[in-house]
Amino acid sequence: MVEDTITDGKRIAQLLSSEITGRETGPLAAMAVVEADPDVEPTADGAFAYGVDRDDERVADVAVQPERAYLELRTGVDAGAAAAADADLRVRPKAVEPPRTLVFVESGAAVKAAVDVLVAAADAES
């Protein structure tokens, strides 16, 4: 049996959203998907899909490209970058003030690792 690999950016973002909102206990219980755009269409530069807040503080934004989604970490950028590197996710800094970190989620299988990155980033700021 051959399973398809999910590499559609919008679908990856949807899976990530489900992981975040589906947890009622543990570190994700305080996180929420906010400002979601259900009609978002992926763009080459990345179209805003939704934000991720923890206790009403923005942790990250999620954007979609045609073949992947990415997190733009707003808090805990160093801890998030380290967690992403440990999970073998592509990561790069974004040169803005305050600094941010981009974490690329290139398949549905990488969603669990992306959740761990969100938790690491949020925990670093608490």
Side-chain angles (χ1 to χ4, degrees), residues 113-126:
V115 168
D116 293 341
V117 169
L118 282 171
V119 170
D123 284 350
E125 293 298 312
S126 50

Side-chain angles (χ1 to χ4, degrees), residues 12 16 19-20 28 31 69-71 73 80 83-84 87 89 103-121:
I12 292 168
L16 180 58
E19 283 291 319
I20 295 165
L28 291 178
M31 289 194 191
Y70 66 84
L71 304 171
L73 299 177
L89 296 177
V103 178
F104 298 92
V105 187
E106 298 182 347
S107 71
V111 165
K112 298 272 188 202
V115 168
D116 293 341
V117 169
L118 282 171
V119 170

